[in-house]
Amino acid sequence: MRRLWIIVGFGFLVSLLATGVWTYGYRQAVGQLAERAEADLKLASDRLSAQLQRYQETAVLMAEHPALEYLDLPGGRDAARDLLLDVADKTSALDVMYADRTGRVLVSARDPSLQTLSGAPYFERALQGALGSDHGVIAPFDQRAFYYAAPDFGPDGKVRGVLVVVVDIDNTEFDWRGSSPAVLFVDEAGEVFMSNRPELLFWRRDGGDAGLQPAKGPPRAFDTDLLGSFEIWTLDWGPYLPRHALHLVQDLPVIGMSGEVVVDLAPARRLAWLQAAAVAAICLAFGALLFLATERRRTLAEANAVLESRVAERTQALSEANTQLRREVVERQDAEAALKRAQAELVQAGKLSALGQMSAGISHELNQPLMAIQQFADNGAAFLDRGKSEKAGENLGRIAQMAKRMARIIKNLRAFARNESEPMGRVDLVQVIETAVDLSAARLTHDGVALDWAPPSAPVPAWGGEVRLVQVFVNLINNAVDAMAGRKLRRISIRIEESDKLTVTIRDTGPGIEDPEKIFEPFYSTKAVGSSEGMGLGLSISYGLVQSFGGNIRGANTDSGAMFTVELDRFTEEKAA
């Protein structure tokens, strides 16, 4: 019973809170709705005033038109009638007419049967020299009209005539009929003269609490109430008007009416219900969670006693399991130590395998410099026989340079074996390619290969190692020469392109690359088995050298042969630092 009373009391508090939230939310929503409704009413009023202002200005402008001064002349009235008809057609006016001071209609655009305007309030106002306006219903078709009358002053400054523009209200309402919310324009007599809800036209407000009622037929249900400063209507005016509505009024002295708006309160009520329901749901959820937590705590307290009795039983079993886990930890530590020793042995085996692979390629790495030394030695001997000691000296100097270059290559191989590398720094890419071309010149001449190489006039600084870069380009040139063996057209093209990275392309006119994806794998070669010209390590070594500089090398086929592209980083002071 105690729990039941707690639940009932909590539900009552939640109901009170939800009611307060609904009331507050409803008032706030109505306030926001009133702001929007006031803006909508002002917009509709301004739009109507602007539409009527156009006809008012037409009346003022046409009142003193020269064509109206010659009505007594032959053809004068016909010309004036044509003018007024043209104005009525272009402005969508119901009629445009001109009357003399007595009210006699002298000329009319559409209704020649109208005889006099005498006694009309707007006409009498215009006779006093002011702009007259009025509204009314034209019989027998109950056609609503708005009248603007402008005086026509003669040379003596007195009013000699009046121009009247009759506005068709149905045409004025056409653009905003049926729009939301419902807007009414009520005249001083309390009659709805204009509205975007045609069913409310000519309803009247007779005073009291009856509100607006139809001019004909039985009265409609109506009730009014106040919510703070807001007037709330409860209506039964048809399917196109709200049941509960907010009513606002704005005076429009310019047209002699008051604008009224009737805004549906359903969104405000719906929002208030949603807020109240959300608060109630949150409170109920919180209460349910609190109740469940209390029940869970009680259940846990009961279960705790049972668990404590089982702890002693499990302690002994846990102690035995702990001893077993310690033995397993020792065994796993021994296994990890054995695994580390095996990994070290595998690393050493991999290093020895790499060193063996490099040793197998020493002959390939030194083959080009040795061939160059042999060529320079032969040339030097020939120059000595001819008595050209200076030329022989130059060849001997080049032999010395080749010997130094071989020493540097051997140094690089030894450094690789010792896990060392030549320091990288600034390298002139143009000079590197020039050296590679110089080393390959004899081979190119012997095999009849044309070289298309136009070095840039300025140095191109790159990041890398000079000896290893020369080796890369010598390998690429020699591979291109080997690929073009037996071809009629043998041509190698070398180009340097400068952009974000430095790019060197070497093209040949050979048969192309058989398998571009395997071209850089070690010992991959398309030469005949047992050939003494290579072991398939040149491109693999070149790939590794370019990668060590942070660059990239790739091979591809073109329409005329193969193309190898070497990408290198530019030398910058940041890299040097």
Side-chain angles (χ1 to χ4, degrees), residues 158-226:
K158 296 181 179 180
V159 178
R160 63 183 179 185
V162 175
L163 181 82
V164 179
V165 176
V166 184
V167 182
D168 185 0
I169 298 300
D170 287 336
N171 183 66
T172 303
E173 288 179 343
F174 181 78
D175 293 336
W176 47 284
R177 186 171 296 169
S179 60
S180 284
V183 179
L184 319 172
F185 293 96
V186 182
D187 58 17
E188 296 177 352
E191 185 179 58
V192 179
F193 188 72
M194 289 179 282
S195 175
N196 59 355
R197 296 293 189 274
E199 61 269 26
L200 298 181
L201 292 176
F202 304 118
W203 284 36
R204 300 185 62 85
R205 180 181 287 114
D206 296 329
D209 297 332
L212 290 172
Q213 294 295 334
K216 299 178 182 180
R220 298 290 185 89
F222 174 86
D223 190 17
T224 182
D225 195 5
L226 292 177

Side-chain angles (χ1 to χ4, degrees), residues 35 65 110 182 204 224 273 286 466 510 550 571:
E35 293 179 0
H65 196 280
R110 301 188 189 277
R204 300 185 62 85
T224 182
W273 279 115
F286 177 76
E466 181 178 0
F571 175 81

Side-chain angles (χ1 to χ4, degrees), residues 379-397:
N379 292 339
F383 284 132
L384 288 176
D385 292 340
R386 297 176 185 175
K388 297 181 179 180
S389 57
E390 293 181 359
K391 293 290 186 178
E394 292 178 3
N395 281 270
L396 291 175

Side-chain angles (χ1 to χ4, degrees), residues 181-182 197 233-246 262-267:
R197 296 293 189 274
W233 283 4
T234 302
L235 312 174
D236 185 15
W237 287 359
Y240 302 108
L241 289 165
R243 175 69 176 172
H244 302 280
L246 173 67
V262 181
V263 185
D264 190 5
L265 287 177

Side-chain angles (χ1 to χ4, degrees), residues 14-31 226-228 230 268-277 279:
V14 171
S15 301
L16 289 180
L17 179 61
T19 303
V21 170
W22 186 91
T23 303
Y24 177 78
Y26 183 61
R27 288 177 178 272
Q28 292 294 110
V30 170
L226 292 177
L227 181 66
F230 302 119
R269 296 167 67 89
R270 185 163 50 248
L271 180 60
W273 279 115
L274 287 175
Q275 292 174 344
V279 171

Side-chain angles (χ1 to χ4, degrees), residues 533-568:
E533 297 180 357
M535 295 182 293
L537 289 173
L539 290 177
S540 177
I541 293 172
S542 299
Y543 182 86
L545 293 176
V546 174
Q547 289 285 332
S548 68
F549 303 146
N552 187 29
I553 181 172
R554 59 182 181 272
N557 290 318
T558 64
D559 295 338
S560 59
M563 178 182 71
F564 286 87
T565 303
V566 179
E567 294 180 349
L568 297 170

Side-chain angles (χ1 to χ4, degrees), residues 37-54 148 172 176 183-185 194 250-255 257-260:
E38 186 176 356
D40 292 338
L41 178 58
K42 181 173 177 54
L43 179 63
S45 301
D46 292 345
R47 179 168 55 184
L48 176 62
S49 298
Q51 289 176 321
L52 295 178
Q53 180 72 21
R54 178 163 59 95
Y148 281 108
T172 303
W176 47 284
V183 179
L184 319 172
F185 293 96
M194 289 179 282
Q250 178 182 354
D251 291 332
L252 301 175
V254 175
I255 60 175
M257 296 184 183
S258 63
E260 302 183 15

